[in-house]
Amino acid sequence: MPEMKVIHGIEPGRSLEFTFDGITLAGFNGEAIASALMRAGIVSQRVSPKQSAQRGYYCGMGLCWECAVHVDGEGIVRSCGYPLRPGLRVKTADADLK
Amino acid sequence: MRAVAVTGGSADVILVGGGIFGQFAALTLANIGRDVVLIDRAALWSEASSVNAGSLGVQNKIGELVPYARWSWDLWSGMSERLAADVGVRRDGGYKIAMTDDEAKRLEQAVNEQKAVGLEVRLLGRADLRAEAPWLSPNVAAAAFSPEDGYASPTLLGPALRAAIERAGVTIVEYANISKIHQNRGISVETDKGRFQGNALAIAAGAWSGQCAALLGEHLPIALDVNMVSVTESAPPTIGKLTTHARGILTLKQVANNSCLIGGGWQGIGTLADCRKEIDYDQLVHNLRLAVRVVPGLAQLNIVRSWAGYEGVSPDSLPYLGRLGDNPNVYCVACARGGFTLGPLFGQLLGELIATGRTSRPIDIFNPGRFGHA
């Protein structure tokens, strides 16, 4: 594991479960979807439409949209800025296109 | 790519402005063996040619320009082969829509005028549209369909065109500010990247052409539009074909990567002097609301980005093309409404004019001197 910088005084939210393409994953309440996916080892959240290349979290600040995912009941969102809540059902964004 | 730092030099022709007009003029001249230096104030392909929405509409041009748009399409059709690169050219037709009975009446009149100049176009009522284009809102009262409309990708064309002019031997000088132009014994252009000597000079600097003409003591009136464009995320099929509005206030298309482009000339904020090109959100909201009213499927999509770009506009909305002023070796090509569509043709016509003194299409109505002296 790379060395990590810990910022003291910031506590994670309650532990929760959510699903990504039907797989149950663990996360913390209020953290970004992208953060929980990354910890689960999922680095690609979608596939590019023209060349079917793997795409994922890139700019980390809401500009590039490469980390887009589909959230049940909400539609396409940027996973870098969308907070997790218990039971959230998340899918790859391209699932809508097929 | 050549990495030689150019610091002055000489050429048959000095072109100022590395947009679509300047680069196609450069390509035309270099292909018939002329030495060309192409100077730009910044990087080539960084203004209107690059940030426009890529429409290659014929229907949306003003009457005088419809034949020119069709002639330019003759060049667009073979563009990917000519440049040996995919530049996203697609011609599957487009709808020009009317939302009210009044607009429908004006549309019918426009259709008749366009038929008279040879454009293939047919008028469709509500029932036709429901059957043929169900992705359009039932609020659309009428539409004209022409199979001659299409689009290309400015993003793909830029690098492909640059590679072509480099192969053809054009010398490219970027980030050069012109301080003076002398017109004795040939023409010399003083820049902060050196002094360039030429037999002929052409201004193809879009919205900046007026400033360049002023260095020559010539009056070239140009107003500035700051057009906004927005792009959505990649989406399921939403916009069937290129769609424009009878009043010229909307363009919609879904491009090869499945994202939807929304334009229509809604105005952002900025001037040449303050260098701003910013989104005016109050205006953008109207642009997007109208888009959703015309194509309801857009409502569920996210806008990924909005941007604004400069467009230079002449007082009669016709482009400038021809000799500039009294010097027979000074030329200008600039400021077309629909410059992306017309670019390949107008660049070529300028190249012909410089090389041979004549053009394969009439250009009298584009005379840069038509507004007289200031």
Side-chain angles (χ1 to χ4, degrees), chain B residues 230-317:
Chain B
S230 299
V231 61
T232 72
E233 61 191 311
S234 292
T238 305
I239 307 171
K241 291 185 192 312
L242 176 71
T243 301
T244 59
H245 192 288
R247 286 199 285 134
I249 53 175
L250 188 68
T251 67
L252 300 171
K253 69 177 79 64
Q254 190 162 12
V255 295
N257 68 358
N258 301 327
S259 61
C260 299
L261 282 163
I262 303 169
W266 292 77
Q267 293 298 291
I269 300 161
T271 64
L272 290 187
D274 67 18
C275 299
R276 288 171 71 193
K277 277 178 233 166
E278 287 164 28
I279 295 299
D280 182 334
Y281 289 95
D282 293 339
Q283 292 295 305
L284 191 71
V285 163
H286 292 297
N287 188 185
L288 300 180
R289 271 196 197 129
L290 178 63
V292 170
R293 249 168 62 76
V294 173
V295 178
L298 288 167
Q300 61 177 354
L301 303 182
N302 291 296
I303 298 288
V304 174
R305 266 175 285 283
S306 298
W307 64 92
Y310 294 148
E311 181 184 26
V313 188
S314 71
D316 58 5
S317 292

Side-chain angles (χ1 to χ4, degrees), chain B residues 74 77 88 153 200 257 278:
Chain B
D74 292 344
S77 297
S153 164
N257 68 358
E278 287 164 28

Side-chain angles (χ1 to χ4, degrees), chain B residues 26 35 40 86 125 134 150 195 241 282 290 313 320 363 365-366:
Chain B
D35 274 337
D40 200 286
D86 175 18
R195 179 187 175 123
K241 291 185 192 312
D282 293 339
L290 178 63
V313 188
Y320 294 119
I363 61 167
I365 56 169
F366 308 128

Side-chain angles (χ1 to χ4, degrees), chain A residues 21-33:
Chain A
D21 281 347
I23 304 161
T24 300
L25 299 172
F28 298 104
N29 198 51
E31 75 170 323
I33 295 172

Side-chain angles (χ1 to χ4, degrees), chain B residues 59 91-94 119-122 145-150:
Chain B
Q59 285 194 82
R91 193 177 205 181
D92 55 3
L119 184 67
E120 191 182 338
V121 56
R122 57 191 163 88
F145 177 80
S146 172
E148 302 195 27
D149 283 353

Side-chain angles (χ1 to χ4, degrees), chain B residues 183 218 323-329 373:
Chain B
Q183 304 184 66
E218 297 298 333
R323 290 204 165 83
L324 181 66
D326 299 327
N327 188 329
N329 297 315
H373 295 282

